[in-house]
Structures are given as C-alpha cells and as structure tokens.
Amino acid sequence: MSSRRSATAGLISEMARQHQVQYVGTASDDLAHHITRLAGDNVVFDEVEQTLLALQRAGHLSRRDLVHLQARYLREAKP
C-alpha cells in the first residue's frame, strides 16, 4: 500500500473515531484466514480494511457501503 494516507482511509478512520469503533478479530476471522491461506489465496486485510469490518459489524455501514468504501480505498492505494 501507499505510504501516503488516502482520503478514503482518513474518512474511514474518522468514522471509526466518531462511532468509537475498533476492530477486534473473531474466531470466524481466524477460520476465514486459514481457509483462504490453505486454498492458496492468502488474504490479509490491513488496518483500514479491518476498521471497515468493525464499522459494518457495529451497524454503522451496510455491506454494500463497506464494499464501496473498500473498493474506493484500494483504487486510491494503487501506484
């Protein structure tokens, strides 16, 4: 990822701060990580993507909004 913080990363961070939300991994997260790793798709979310999950789990984002913001974040992080 880019060393410069994107506008979307800032927005996500601010949303988490306003709602006092932070990511806490679950047993299901661990299971999903191991399943994708064993399937050859080692998917690792960074702190911003984990924060998006936390906002969605807390009910502050719909699944659709999460996907939209994650796509926007990843587009901005492209070199």
Side-chain angles (χ1 to χ4, degrees):
M1 293 288 147
S2 171
S3 62
R4 210 177 95 220
R5 189 173 172 105
S6 73
T8 303
L11 171 69
I12 293 164
S13 178
E14 179 61 21
M15 287 174 64
R17 187 192 66 73
Q18 286 178 355
H19 295 292
Q20 299 178 359
V21 170
Q22 65 182 21
Y23 174 77
V24 176
T26 66
S28 293
D29 293 335
D30 290 340
L31 177 62
H33 171 74
H34 290 301
I35 289 171
T36 59
R37 180 182 53 79
L38 291 169
D41 297 328
N42 196 17
V43 177
V44 179
F45 287 163
D46 66 16
E47 184 178 327
V48 173
E49 293 169 305
Q50 290 174 342
T51 302
L52 278 171
L53 284 173
L55 285 162
Q56 194 264 332
R57 288 175 179 168
H60 300 293
L61 288 177
S62 67
R63 178 75 176 144
R64 182 180 180 150
D65 290 338
L66 178 148
V67 171
H68 174 77
L69 283 170
Q70 183 182 25
R72 188 170 129 186
Y73 167 67
L74 293 173
R75 273 194 307 271
E76 289 176 3
K78 267 189 170 178

